[in-house]
Structures are given as C-alpha cells and as structure tokens.
Amino acid sequence: MDILQITNLQKRFGDKVVLKGLNLSVPEQSIFGFIGKNGAGKTTTMKMVLGLMNPEEGEIVVAGESVTYGQTKTNRHIGYLPDVPEYYSFMTPAEYLIFCGEITGMKKEELKARVRELLDLVGLGGEKHRIKGFSRGMKQRLGIAQALLNHPKLLICDEPTSALDPVGRKEILDILLAVREQTTVLFSTHILSDVEKICTDVAFLNDGVVTMQGRLADIKAGYRTEKYLLETERESDVALLLEACSDCKRIGQTQIEFSEKKHTLFEMVQYITNQRIPVLKIERMEPSLESLFMEVVAK
Ligand SMILES: Nc1ncnc2c1ncn2[C@@H]1O[C@H](COP(=O)(O)OP(=O)(O)OP(=O)(O)O)[C@@H](O)[C@H]1O
Ligand SMILES: [Mg+2]
C-alpha cells in the first residue's frame, strides 16, 4: 500500500507555475528520496502534503485519507522536519521534547520513556546542554526525534543533510536507515550520493512534474549498460590488455573499460587467467544516480 499518494498536483505563485501536475506514490516501509534542483518545488509539495498550502488542482492522500488545506487531521499520521528547524533554544533537548509531547497530549509516563528512547536513537541521550549551543547536525538530529514523538506512519524531512559536513550527513543517514523499522521515510534532497546510500525508492522532480520514479534498483537496472570495469594490480598489465582487446578503453592508471560486444566476459577472464594477470576487480558498470539525473533533467 502507498502511505502517500499525490495526483495531478498543481501550484502557481502569481504567474510562476511551480507544479504542473505532479504525481507521486510513496510505498509503505520505503526510504523515499524526493530529488530536485534548488527551486524545483520540493518544499512547496511537502507543505501541501501537510495542508499548509493550497494547491490549485490535485489530490493528496495520506494513509488513505484526503488532505484538506487548512486542516490538520491527516497530520496525525505525519512527523515533519522542516528545512530550517526552530527551537526554544533555552531548553535542553529532553525539556524541549517533553514540552512538545505535552502540547500534543501524550501521557506523562509514556512521554518520558519515548523521549529517552528517541534521544538515544539520535545520539543525544547524554546531552545536558541547552539547544542554544548545538551544532547544525545536533539540531537536525533533535528535529528528527521531535518528528518521531507521536509514532508517525510517515516521516517527512526537508533536505535534512544539505547544510551538514560529511560526518553530520552520515549521522543523519544512519538515523533515517534505523527508523525505517518504525515508519516510512520521505526526504527531499539534491545530494545524490545520500540517496544512493540509503534510498529504496526515488522520484526526480523536474520542470514541475515527476519525470521518473520507482524502486532505485529497478531504475538502475533499466539503464544498465553492457560495459565492465576491470582493475589490474600492476599498471604495466593495462597496456597488455589494451593490445589484446581492441574494444578496451583506458579509464584510469590501472583501470580499463570493455563492453561485451567484442569480447565476452568469459573470454576476458580466460585471457587474464592465461596471462596470469593479477586483477583487483571486475564489475559491471552501473549508471550513477547522477548520470541518470542529468539525463532526466537534460531531456
Ligand atoms: N510563498 C511563495 N511565494 C512566491 N514564490 C514562492 C513561494 N514559495 C516558493 N516560491 C517559489 O516556488 C519555487 C519552488 O520553491 P520551493 O521552495 O518549493 O523549491 P525547493 O525545491 O524546495 O528548493 P530548495 O532546494 O532551494 O529548497 C521557487 O521558485 C520559489 O521561489
Ligand atoms: Mg526547499
């Protein structure tokens, strides 16, 4: 089942048309990467899913219920981390989460246990300092804990890693992977390597519509080439291979590329074995998400 389904979503600001009929299906239990350039309309889409913005056209269904602009009923299924989360910075993380839980009417004992569990999950368990002194990464992690307080079926994060260094980014990605047990995760980003690391499903937003979406493995398989990468241990063996195989192309000091058009993989492996060439790896070359994105965006 899809936890979120968007059909024909349209939105304009003045005479600027941002969304031109966006369709999106987010399957339950997925980690869904919503990919688009700056200004593509990712935040606008998310705000409409939360009922905070009024679409011109289209339907949004969350956990089987239609979203209505200005009403928050469907938001009980959703946890949301905005692109720039704001806090009462004089509080400690535990105080802040308890404050948030009390507002939403959570019971005291349940709330205390949930806060402890979530602070541990996001690596802020022992943190006694006020939010005021937190790094960006710590604030994002606290924001994820806040968004998960009410056991949402869908966690929406708006560019959770964009402003972070590689360590901070990895921490967030690890948390998103870990929470997959509890909820479906939808996050927007333009950092394609993050998507490759953790996403099961992706959608490319370009020029107001979703131009491609589906399971990441299926999308990649659909664009798989018949090219292989071969890496040798010794640089001198590269020349040998280039001589023997007219279709081989050098792509690095110790790396060549070949396609199966002229020499099958087995012929190559046989040649390597006969010549006793030490090989570090042979692998089928997968298209990177980056190359797919460029292809989709350039169309
Ligand atoms: N309230 C608004 N009034 C007028 N224009 C807006 C408003 N909100 C968004 N826009 C415009 O709509 C377009 C899409 O904006 P949006 O913030 O949804 O993009 P985004 O994909 O989230 O970009 P980013 O990666 O920079 O966060 C942009 O051109 C933006 O200027
Ligand atoms: Mg945005």
Side-chain angles (χ1 to χ4, degrees), residues 37-44 46 83 158-159 188:
K37 295 186 288 191
N38 288 133
K42 303 181 293 296
T43 301
T44 303
M46 289 177 164
D83 45 1
D158 195 356
E159 306 220 24
S188 65

Side-chain angles (χ1 to χ4, degrees), residues 154-194:
L154 174 64
L155 172 68
I156 298 181
C157 300
D158 195 356
E159 306 220 24
T161 58
S162 291
L164 307 181
D165 66 24
V167 177
R169 270 171 48 206
K170 182 167 184 322
E171 284 168 352
I172 297 287
L173 296 178
D174 286 346
I175 293 167
L176 294 183
L177 258 184
V179 302
R180 192 188 173 191
E181 306 281 308
Q182 308 177 18
T183 180
T184 304
V185 178
L186 168 67
F187 75 100
S188 65
T189 189
H190 56 260
I191 305 174
L192 299 171
S193 58
D194 287 355

Side-chain angles (χ1 to χ4, degrees), residues 1-7 9 24-28 45-53 55 58-69 71-80 151-156 183-186:
M1 196 193 116
D2 291 331
I3 188 75
L4 170 65
Q5 204 155 33
I6 304 180
T7 316
L9 194 66
L24 190 76
S25 302
V26 178
E28 240 170 350
T45 304
M46 289 177 164
K47 285 189 174 160
M48 288 194 280
V49 171
L50 293 160
L52 300 173
M53 224 180 231
E59 199 192 10
I60 301 173
V61 176
V62 175
E65 290 179 48
S66 273
V67 175
T68 310
Y69 168 61
Q71 290 189 13
T72 54
K73 205 175 87 184
T74 43
N75 287 353
R76 72 183 191 284
H77 301 300
I78 303 176
Y80 174 56
H151 301 276
K153 289 184 179 156
L154 174 64
L155 172 68
I156 298 181
T183 180
T184 304
V185 178
L186 168 67

Side-chain angles (χ1 to χ4, degrees), residues 35-37 169 189-197 199 202-206 211-212 216 219-220 223 285-299:
I35 305 165
K37 295 186 288 191
R169 270 171 48 206
T189 189
H190 56 260
I191 305 174
L192 299 171
S193 58
D194 287 355
V195 173
E196 297 220 77
K197 276 185 199 126
C199 286
V202 297
F204 291 126
L205 173 61
N206 186 47
T211 42
M212 190 190 271
L216 183 54
I219 289 177
K220 282 190 152 192
Y223 281 78
M285 291 172 83
E286 286 238 319
S288 69
L289 202 54
E290 183 144 354
S291 62
L292 291 182
F293 182 63
M294 294 319 268
E295 196 168 310
V296 169
V297 169
K299 264 183 197 164

Side-chain angles (χ1 to χ4, degrees), residues 86-103 127-134 139 142 146:
E86 304 268 358
Y87 302 98
Y88 291 117
S89 58
F90 58 88
M91 292 181 178
T92 66
E95 284 167 355
Y96 182 71
L97 291 184
I98 284 175
F99 169 75
C100 294
E102 281 172 351
I103 289 177
E127 192 53 61
K128 299 279 183 284
H129 291 103
R130 294 178 198 284
I131 301 168
K132 189 163 54 183
F134 276 21
K139 283 185 182 164
L142 177 58
Q146 179 191 349

